[in-house]
Amino acid sequence: MTGPGYNFAYLDEGTKRMIRRAILKGIAVPGYQVPFSAREMPMPYGWGTGGVQVTAACLLPEDRLKVIDQGADDTTNAVSIRRFFERTAHVATTTSTTAATVIQTRHRIPEHPLREGQILVFQVPIPEPLRFLEPRETETRRMHSLEEYGLMHVKLYEDIARHGTIATSYAYPVRVEGRYVMDPSPIPKFDNPRLSDCAAIQLFGAGREQRIYALPPHTQVVSLDFEDHPFDPGKAPHDCDLCGAVDSYLDEVITDDRGGRMFVCSDTDHCTCRRAAGHSGRLAAPLPAGRA
Amino acid sequence: MYVAVKGGERAIDNAHALLAEARRGDPGVAELTVAQIRAQLHLAVTRVMAEGSLHDPDLAALAIKQARGDLIEAIFLIRAYRTTLPRLGASQPIDTAAMRLMRRISATFKDVPGGQMLGPTFDYTHRLLDFRLAADGPGAVPPSDTPRAMAAAGPVPHVAALLERDDLIEGAPRDDTPPPDLTRMPMELPATRALRLQALARGDEGFLLSLAYSTQRGYGRTHAFVGELRIGWVDVAMEIPELGLAVTIGEVEVTECETVNQFLGSRGAPPRFTRGYGLTFGQTERKAIAMSLVDRALRWKELGEDGTGAPAQDEEFVLMHADNVQATGFLEHIKLPHYVDFQSELELLRRLRAETAAEPEAAE
Ligand SMILES: [Zn+2]
């Protein structure tokens, strides 16, 4: 993979140009799914090939790349994708949200607010928010073009009728600038508010489904809801057991077979930075020397 | 203390080392060479070429070795490699009538101009394990008195062309529209027949086999006969602009199947036979036959037939699910960590349960 035969960031320049065109179109029409000719990448579909292609098309030699999966830099697939770009693009990498210029993510938005000039790339499995209401692509494309979103509201309403609440906890659909209904990728709905008015560029890549869509900086993104049932991002009733954060998204870790649990920030960089700054939670052990 | 399943770097390195060791297997057994795989596992090699969409027996054999014999993994390796290859241009259409045949059969006529030729087929073997092959050393190979492939003694006409002369089968009109390239543009639905055939040609053999089988059992029946099945080598020629002429740049092994399907006519179409078409790289006749049945089933609209809702008639269903590299990726990705989503589901469930538990008391 390090061989001289491969271009910077793996893809040839023609392919990158094709992807950049799709990205630009996506930015011009926020929330619209732009078809693009996804290539077979050296990692399987489902492992983030869409995100990897978008990242490859965005990367410049001077970029500093961060890759997270489930909010963490050290999950296996995040490690694998980071290594891929270290080898094929020789770019600098980081685990710091603030130091990164490009962040590729699966299933989370970093806790720390993003700034202008940063690019957040989401890996998307099923880009079509209407897919599980209507399996046919030919149909859903028509529904988007006619702004025919009644089916989605019926689904959410049925949730409320049956469960008293909207029973969607991740990949919660949003409306972009009052026009396209968009799948925010399988992030927890806790992250949805951070999609809106974000200073960074947010790009979404779905490789297998051959779609790219985008949110330019400061786009208005509204989670679908009803007046009498407003959107609730939800939050587990716990604080982080390591850094004491009261407002971060938490992983639940089973610590024994007698019901023992602990809750820790899913965003490992956020948690580490907080602990380095002296915050500490219920079960915090001292940081290993040199880790901060 | 906090010991989550994280810290992937070392785990990945160790997994890769174990994989390399498992691939090699018992070091006391001689290692397989790529040349051996290419020469002796030819049908595996051609399946990988067909579904990998790359005619290169050496690379296919290497992929099979690297994938430990997992053919879908090998197909994936070839596809990923293919991404990095420059696109120099398109060849001229291959001429399958000029194929150097190693096998050619027709199920619809006892004899046909150009003759029938069984070639290296399992068809009439008795499926008895041959324990002589288990013995080490060179096995006895009975001599065959036919060459690998017939020399091109002149074009061998297609069986369907013979029927076409009497207008008993629909024509195959020449179409010089440049075909779309599925590997360079996203799938577009509804698809042209050229795009459909392209997708089927690289589709999963097992998926197409089952779909074709379902049409035979009545889910979108097409009354298919194998009009002709031929396997052999064809020249690939390319127009060289600097020279102003087409030059043969190599040859590829292909399997071509054309079905002849009964058709009693419909609104605006007279009763006559219709066609289904399959063309695949290598010696992949199960795939080519299945492809031609599925192609014919997908043509129901164009021929004015009734849609029965059968899976094989549903273009979007067939084309969006035929690719095994896409399918296996998405299927297997559910083993990746999903604990963020799972956590949000867990919290939702707990809240719903807390509410239902609270309700009966509130009512009483
Ligand atoms: Zn924390």
Side-chain angles (χ1 to χ4, degrees), chain A residues 240 243 245 265 271:
Chain A
C240 174
C243 78
C265 293
C271 202

PDB file of all heavy atoms in Angstrom, chain A residues 240 243 245 265 271, ligand 1:
ATOM      1  N   CYS A 240     -20.171  11.630  33.492  1.00  0.00           N
ATOM      2  CA  CYS A 240     -19.043  10.776  33.124  1.00  0.00           C
ATOM      3  C   CYS A 240     -18.310  10.334  34.392  1.00  0.00           C
ATOM      4  O   CYS A 240     -17.948  11.165  35.233  1.00  0.00           O
ATOM      5  CB  CYS A 240     -18.086  11.512  32.193  1.00  0.00           C
ATOM      6  SG  CYS A 240     -16.579  10.581  31.845  1.00  0.00           S
ATOM      7  N   CYS A 243     -14.421  11.849  33.877  1.00  0.00           N
ATOM      8  CA  CYS A 243     -14.085  13.275  33.861  1.00  0.00           C
ATOM      9  C   CYS A 243     -15.175  14.132  34.501  1.00  0.00           C
ATOM     10  O   CYS A 243     -15.032  15.347  34.606  1.00  0.00           O
ATOM     11  CB  CYS A 243     -13.808  13.753  32.438  1.00  0.00           C
ATOM     12  SG  CYS A 243     -15.299  14.033  31.470  1.00  0.00           S
ATOM     13  N   ALA A 245     -18.008  14.994  33.327  1.00  0.00           N
ATOM     14  CA  ALA A 245     -18.815  15.827  32.422  1.00  0.00           C
ATOM     15  C   ALA A 245     -20.294  15.525  32.627  1.00  0.00           C
ATOM     16  O   ALA A 245     -20.694  14.378  32.755  1.00  0.00           O
ATOM     17  CB  ALA A 245     -18.415  15.566  30.972  1.00  0.00           C
ATOM     18  N   CYS A 265     -17.491   9.164  28.824  1.00  0.00           N
ATOM     19  CA  CYS A 265     -17.659   9.913  27.587  1.00  0.00           C
ATOM     20  C   CYS A 265     -17.369   9.015  26.387  1.00  0.00           C
ATOM     21  O   CYS A 265     -16.351   8.323  26.365  1.00  0.00           O
ATOM     22  CB  CYS A 265     -16.674  11.078  27.516  1.00  0.00           C
ATOM     23  SG  CYS A 265     -16.969  12.368  28.716  1.00  0.00           S
ATOM     24  N   CYS A 271     -12.954  13.611  26.831  1.00  0.00           N
ATOM     25  CA  CYS A 271     -12.760  13.104  28.188  1.00  0.00           C
ATOM     26  C   CYS A 271     -11.308  13.304  28.639  1.00  0.00           C
ATOM     27  O   CYS A 271     -11.039  13.781  29.739  1.00  0.00           O
ATOM     28  CB  CYS A 271     -13.135  11.625  28.229  1.00  0.00           C
ATOM     29  SG  CYS A 271     -13.544  11.025  29.882  1.00  0.00           S
TER      30      CYS A 271
HETATM   31 ZN    ZN C   1     -15.584  11.999  30.355  1.00  0.00          ZN
END
